[in-house]
């Protein structure tokens, strides 16, 4: 059966697409969103099937409200990051559901096992093997409460099975045995994943593209800031609560 892939045109989702067969890509964002540009460009180059949803400000606001309600019902932590990313996941699952797709793959876990965050090196202050490895394990252990609760809440809403290939047990076990210094340096993050993607045939500019979190690449974070201001709040969190 055909699967959906949440697609940002970044190294994580592109690697999943490279290794998949019988799939359809889904991208979402507001006008001029970075992720939409990369997703369209790469899908065209690789001749991959892609559906794109470009949201208006009004549509984005409605989706934010819906996602906040779903999170409240499921006791998911409501903050700008969770809602920003959640809105992207919500739209992708909604598009897939309309196409009759019941399984969607996502890049969750790639940051945790291949060192994609600045916190993995104590925000740029400590590049020792011990610190990186400790932070990676810490991230993995907290995934259930931090991100899985968020995404699984939305998957249940659409009755879709959400699969995170990067959290496959064998892959996690293997990846966590790799020297952390092969994963992250002051110049680049997720090095070994990027190199692997290039060896699989991913164009170099995509493989080396800097990490852009979903809420920024889709421009949902910008919308949250605009809406908070419009409603007289200083912080995005105040608007959401």
């Amino acid at each position: 059966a055909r699967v959906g892939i949440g697609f940002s045109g970044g190294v994580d989702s592109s690697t999943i697409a490279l290794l998949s067969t019988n799939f359809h890509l889904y991208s979402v964002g507001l006008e001029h969103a970075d992720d939409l540009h990369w997703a369209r460009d790469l899908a065209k180059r690789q001749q991959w099937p892609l559906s794109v949803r470009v949201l208006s400000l009004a549509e984005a606001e409605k989706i934010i409200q819906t996602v906040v309600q779903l999170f409240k019902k499921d006791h998911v932590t409501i903050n700008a990051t969770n809602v920003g990313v959640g809105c992207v996941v919500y739209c992708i699952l909604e598009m897939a559901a309309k196409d009759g797709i019941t399984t969607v793959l996502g890049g969750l876990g790639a940051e945790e096992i291949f060192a994609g965050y600045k916190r993995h090196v104590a925000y740029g202050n400590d590049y020792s093997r011990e610190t990186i490895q400790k932070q990676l394990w810490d991230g993995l252990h907290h995934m259930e409460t931090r991100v899985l609760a968020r995404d699984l809440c939305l998957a249940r809403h659409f009755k879709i099975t959400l699969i995170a290939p990067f959290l496959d047990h064998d892959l996690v076990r293997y990846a966590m045995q790799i020297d952390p210094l092969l994963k992250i340096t002051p110049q680049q993050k997720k090095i070994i994943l990027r190199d692997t993607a290039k060896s699989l045939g991913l164009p170099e500019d995509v493989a080396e593209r800097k990490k852009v979190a979903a809420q920024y690449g889709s421009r949902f974070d910008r919308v949250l800031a605009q809406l908070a201001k419009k409603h007289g709040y200083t912080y995005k969190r105040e608007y959401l609560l």
Side-chain angles (χ1 to χ4, degrees):
R2 195 164 55 131
V3 297
I5 300 175
F7 190 63
S8 68
V11 67
D12 308 341
S13 54
S14 301
T15 303
I16 292 171
L18 276 172
L19 295 169
S20 300
T21 52
N22 196 18
F23 61 87
H24 194 92
L25 305 174
Y26 294 95
S27 295
V28 66
L30 284 97
E31 197 81 55
H32 308 303
D34 214 28
D35 284 356
L36 294 185
H37 162 74
W38 282 89
R40 284 185 178 121
D41 180 61
L42 185 60
K44 193 176 174 184
R45 280 195 263 173
Q46 301 289 125
Q47 296 183 305
W48 287 338
L50 169 71
S51 292
V52 167
R53 185 175 175 194
V54 183
L55 300 162
S56 68
L57 198 60
E59 287 172 321
E61 183 169 16
K62 206 175 271 185
I63 290 159
I64 289 165
Q65 289 163 352
T66 304
V67 167
V68 167
Q69 288 313 311
L70 289 170
F71 285 178
K72 277 181 180 168
K73 204 171 71 182
D74 248 11
H75 308 292
V76 174
T77 305
I78 293 168
N79 56 38
T81 300
N82 265 358
V83 174
V85 178
C87 287
V88 175
V89 174
Y90 179 92
C91 292
I92 283 164
L93 296 179
E94 187 177 47
M95 290 162 82
K98 280 180 182 162
D99 286 347
I101 283 176
T102 55
T103 302
V104 172
L105 313 182
L108 218 55
E111 314 298 330
E112 279 73 16
I113 64 172
F114 293 119
Y117 293 128
K118 214 171 176 182
R119 62 176 149 87
H120 292 141
V121 287
Y123 298 96
N125 295 317
D126 185 354
Y127 282 82
S128 66
R129 285 185 174 89
E130 295 72 29
T131 294
I132 299 166
Q133 196 71 348
K134 184 185 176 302
Q135 291 294 339
L136 292 175
W137 278 119
D138 182 62
L140 277 169
H141 290 146
H142 285 97
M143 280 198 83
E144 206 165 333
T145 49
R146 278 183 190 154
V147 293
L148 293 178
R150 175 193 71 209
D151 290 3
L152 291 175
C153 156
L154 300 170
R156 280 193 295 273
H157 176 72
F158 288 105
K159 297 182 175 61
I160 279 178
T161 303
L162 207 52
I163 294 179
F166 288 109
L167 291 176
D168 173 83
H169 279 199
D170 291 338
L171 178 59
V172 171
R173 195 179 293 121
Y174 180 76
M176 293 305 284
Q177 292 173 42
I178 296 169
D179 186 337
L181 300 182
L182 296 174
K183 298 176 181 179
I184 190 167
T185 68
Q187 288 73 41
Q188 185 60 287
K189 302 178 186 76
K190 292 192 290 198
I191 297 163
I192 205 156
L193 176 61
R194 295 177 193 280
D195 289 348
T196 302
K198 280 186 274 190
S199 74
L200 289 169
L202 192 68
E204 181 147 1
D205 59 330
V206 181
E208 295 297 339
R209 180 190 169 197
K210 287 268 183 281
K211 161 82 182 164
V212 183
Q215 68 270 34
Y216 304 116
S218 64
R219 290 199 158 197
F220 259 107
D221 192 74
R222 183 179 287 219
V223 173
L224 280 173
Q226 285 174 322
L227 290 171
K229 194 177 173 185
K230 180 179 145 187
H231 291 280
Y233 296 107
T234 310
Y235 302 107
K236 290 171 278 196
R237 193 167 173 273
E238 294 172 317
Y239 164 71
L240 292 171
L241 296 175

